[in-house]
Structures are given as structure tokens and as C-alpha cells.
Amino acid sequence: MSDTPSPPSTWEILERRWRAGFHQLTEEEQQTIALWWLEAETMNGTLDQFFWNSAGDLALVARAGLVRLQQHTTLQALDSALAHFGPGYPTDRNRRIDMLEAIEAEHGEDVFEAPSRIIQDLPEDFVAAALEQLAPRYAREQETAQPPAAKGDA
């Protein structure tokens, strides 16, 4: 049994990089975080919770990730919910909350229930797909960060 620690997972690397600052992440990394929030908030509540919380600031970033990853079923569900906001989805939370209240007053509190259920059924594991795309890049970075083996090491 080796005392060598196992290499960090893709998520662990992303999380470490995220702690250094979201805006320092690459576009793909930001999309992965946004997709993680989409899943976490929707699974914990509904898309209403995702939009209501600060995670909703990243809705368009999550949407871009779904497009890039070709996650068509989840994209359709998110798009059907985003359509209620009309053109120009508000990334400002206070403005978005005002819009959410108006949307729910007009369409009922369960307006986001159907698209939420689609995402909650997880027809596509979009977070795993995003992490899978980051994994080769992180592996290359890990390899180049490794010091060369000393002679005699095998």
C-alpha cells in the first residue's frame, strides 16, 4: 500500500480554484459552477429557489453551459422558465425578485413547477458532463506541475 496521496478530483481542483475567485475562473469553469448551483438549488427546491437566491445571478451562465454541453432536455426546461422573464433576464437579484413576484402573481406560485420537475428528474447529468470536460485539462495541468522523477525512481 502506497503512502502517496491520491490526486485531487476534478471537483476538488475546481473548488480550490473557485475559492481564489469566481471571476478568475475560465468560462468553462464558471459554467460548471453555475450548473452546479442550478442543480443544487433546483433539487433542494425548484427553479423558483434558484432564481430567487443569488445563484440565480448565474442563470445565463448555466444556460451557456447547457448549450455548450448539448444538454437539450435540461436546456429546454430552463429556457421555458427563463421565458417568463421576457427579454433581458435580470442578473441583479433585487430586480429579479421583483420580477419573480410579478410572474407568480400573474401565473401562480407553481409557475416553475413543470420545468423544475424535468430538471429534478435529471434526464442529463449536466454537472458530471461539465466536470468530465474539465478533467483532461486538469490532468494535463497536474502532470506539468509534477516535479520530474529523480533518477532511480520507478
Side-chain angles (χ1 to χ4, degrees):
M1 188 142 122
S2 172
D3 287 338
T4 306
S6 62
S9 71
T10 302
W11 177 257
E12 290 168 330
I13 295 168
L14 176 59
E15 199 171 29
R16 183 176 59 227
R17 293 169 63 100
W18 182 13
R19 280 193 293 266
F22 181 81
H23 294 289
Q24 295 177 18
L25 298 174
T26 67
E27 185 176 7
E28 292 81 11
E29 290 171 322
Q30 288 180 359
Q31 290 171 359
T32 303
I33 297 299
L35 290 169
W36 180 81
W37 276 116
L38 172 65
E39 181 179 296
E41 294 283 12
T42 305
M43 293 298 194
N44 188 46
T46 64
L47 281 165
D48 184 66
Q49 178 173 313
F50 173 67
F51 294 139
W52 186 273
N53 291 336
S54 59
D57 296 357
L58 301 176
L60 298 180
V61 178
R63 186 189 185 285
L66 293 170
V67 169
R68 180 177 58 85
L69 296 166
Q70 300 179 19
Q71 304 291 295
H72 303 294
T73 304
T74 306
L75 176 62
Q76 277 187 313
L78 180 59
D79 277 350
S80 72
L82 289 171
H84 289 285
F85 291 93
Y89 175 82
T91 56
D92 175 78
R93 184 171 180 225
N94 291 327
R95 189 165 156 245
R96 192 172 56 252
I97 288 171
D98 290 342
M99 289 184 80
L100 278 167
E101 289 172 346
I103 290 165
E104 290 174 354
E106 181 178 342
H107 300 283
E109 289 186 15
D110 62 348
V111 64
F112 300 113
E113 190 71 25
S116 296
R117 293 291 169 236
I118 293 169
I119 294 171
Q120 290 167 340
D121 287 345
L122 209 60
E124 302 153 324
D125 195 344
F126 48 89
V127 174
L131 288 168
E132 284 174 20
Q133 286 203 348
L134 290 175
R137 180 181 136 211
Y138 287 174
R140 284 190 302 277
E141 288 175 4
Q142 294 286 4
E143 287 173 9
T144 59
Q146 297 292 329
K151 287 191 176 188
D153 284 357

